[in-house]
Amino acid sequence: MEPGYVGENDGLTFWLARPEDYDDVMSISQDIYRGNDYLPHRYHEWMDEPDRVVILARRAGKLVALESGIVVDDGQTVVVEGLRVCPSERGHGVAGVIQAFADSYMKKLYPSIKVKHLTRGDDPGPEKLSKFRLLARRAILSLSGETESFDGFISALKAKLMSNEGAGGSGGTHLALETEQQLRTILLEPDIVSRLQLPGGAIIQDWQPLQPIESNLAVLRRRNLAWFVGGPPEKPAFVSFYTPPYPVTFNGGALRLNIDLYGTDQGLACGALLANLEKVRAELRGTVAMHVYMHGSLYESLRTFCQTETGVQECWEKWEQLFLERDL
Ligand SMILES: CC(C)(COP(=O)(O)OP(=O)(O)OC[C@H]1O[C@@H](n2cnc3c(N)ncnc32)[C@H](O)[C@@H]1OP(=O)(O)O)[C@@H](O)C(=O)NCCC(=O)NCCS
């Protein structure tokens, strides 16, 4: 049998993805996620990431689909990501076939897996959702603008926060976490899930849900995140981070900036957004597509906070991140 072959079903053969499959994978990935696909940037990292499997499906040798899974949460969970089917094969159940294969392949490889987690940015309706437990929904605010506009945007947000402080509100102080030990202390506090109202009990880092437990710290460390805490430093009421911006095809080429917010205090949320933007500013180039993920109760106030005349503008209407679980 050829190297990399792992099985077949329903007219498809399944293979472990290799670095040299990159161009084929890109060719089935046109226009995905409204130009915000992360896979062109992540594909090569995925090739040698620990506990990750990337599976390709081929029909008569031609690439038709991809699905990936990473094992996290002390080996109990596979988080599936990257699902895509080539445009000419969509609507015929191929996604179901590759997902079923990937589930059983992962389970065989890692018998400790008990559940599968996935996040998605569309709501497929109650019938499809009934196959899953819906663990959480988060609101997403999407803005875009040219890098030069971000200086004015940051100044405008700062001015808004200061005038709020005059009126008794406050963005609070948001400290950057400098060491792994600081992050460990905060994330491993037993009450963090309830204090920050973590969605489904997880930190969802750029669409990847991870329980705040020791074994996941290594995964988070690999992502090079910039973390901030707001409220009392020993028991923060707010935690936020940004994922290093990466290139996407949005609007002819842009940097995608994801900012994740955890906590429910509106003032702290505004302060956290500002702290992230001030720190990330030096990394921005060209057009920026910025997505801010948050507890649903924060959306309207964050949206109003971000309404300025600076050229950084809402680019999409409100959308949601659904966090789903299924037994395996
Ligand atoms: C979304 C996509 C993968 C669906 O592929 P498809 O083969 O056309 O899917 P079908 O409509 O034939 O549905 C087949 C199965 O996949 C499931 N499915 C469809 N979209 C899905 C999604 N976004 N996430 C998980 N499962 C999905 C369906 O529920 C169905 O499951 P079932 O067979 O267990 O009932 C395909 O349209 C695509 O590649 N879109 C662009 C990339 C994308 O948006 N990916 C979504 C990742 S969250």
Side-chain angles (χ1 to χ4, degrees), residues 109-291:
L109 212 55
Y110 296 89
S112 58
I113 293 173
K114 296 199 169 54
V115 293
K116 150 168 153 172
H117 281 169
L118 66 149
T119 49
R120 55 190 287 180
D122 60 339
D123 186 339
E127 192 198 329
K128 297 270 182 209
L129 282 183
S130 66
K131 295 181 181 172
F132 296 93
R133 286 184 287 279
L134 174 59
L135 298 184
R137 281 176 189 269
R138 284 210 295 167
I140 312 173
L141 175 64
S142 292
L143 305 155
S144 69
E146 296 305 309
T147 291
E148 308 80 68
S149 308
F150 272 78
D151 292 325
F153 184 55
I154 290 169
S155 302
L157 297 187
K158 220 187 265 179
K160 280 192 184 196
L161 266 188
M162 280 168 61
S163 65
N164 257 352
E165 268 163 29
S170 168
T173 307
H174 293 264
L175 298 174
L177 295 185
E178 306 292 352
T179 67
E180 167 96 9
Q181 189 48 43
Q182 287 173 314
L183 180 63
R184 167 177 272 108
T185 307
I186 282 160
L187 287 189
L188 302 186
E189 273 285 318
D191 69 339
I192 187 165
V193 169
S194 56
R195 183 155 33 89
L196 298 181
Q197 297 205 26
L198 294 184
I203 293 284
I204 305 181
Q205 184 268 322
D206 195 352
W207 295 85
Q208 188 177 82
L210 299 165
Q211 284 174 18
I213 57 176
E214 179 74 37
S215 62
N216 285 338
L217 292 178
V219 183
L220 289 168
R221 190 184 316 126
R222 292 204 289 272
R223 309 285 182 244
N224 292 322
L225 309 171
W227 292 82
F228 300 85
V229 292
E234 63 295 348
K235 286 250 180 217
F238 215 89
V239 171
S240 60
F241 59 83
Y242 70 84
T243 299
Y246 52 90
V248 290
T249 58
F250 179 79
N251 265 3
L255 274 188
R256 176 175 175 169
L257 168 62
N258 285 312
I259 299 178
D260 281 284
L261 304 180
Y262 295 97
T264 54
D265 183 283
Q266 294 182 3
L268 288 176
C270 295
L273 181 62
L274 181 58
N276 279 267
L277 286 171
E278 286 183 312
K279 179 97 186 278
V280 76
R281 169 62 187 88
E283 298 171 50
L284 303 181
R285 306 273 178 279
T287 305
V288 179
M290 167 171 128
H291 307 288

Side-chain angles (χ1 to χ4, degrees), residues 32-33 83-85 89-96 99 118-120 122 128 131:
I32 286 182
Y33 306 139
L83 175 67
R84 62 206 54 214
V85 169
E89 295 257 358
R90 288 184 195 160
H92 305 296
V94 169
Q99 288 186 100
L118 66 149
T119 49
R120 55 190 287 180
D122 60 339
K128 297 270 182 209
K131 295 181 181 172

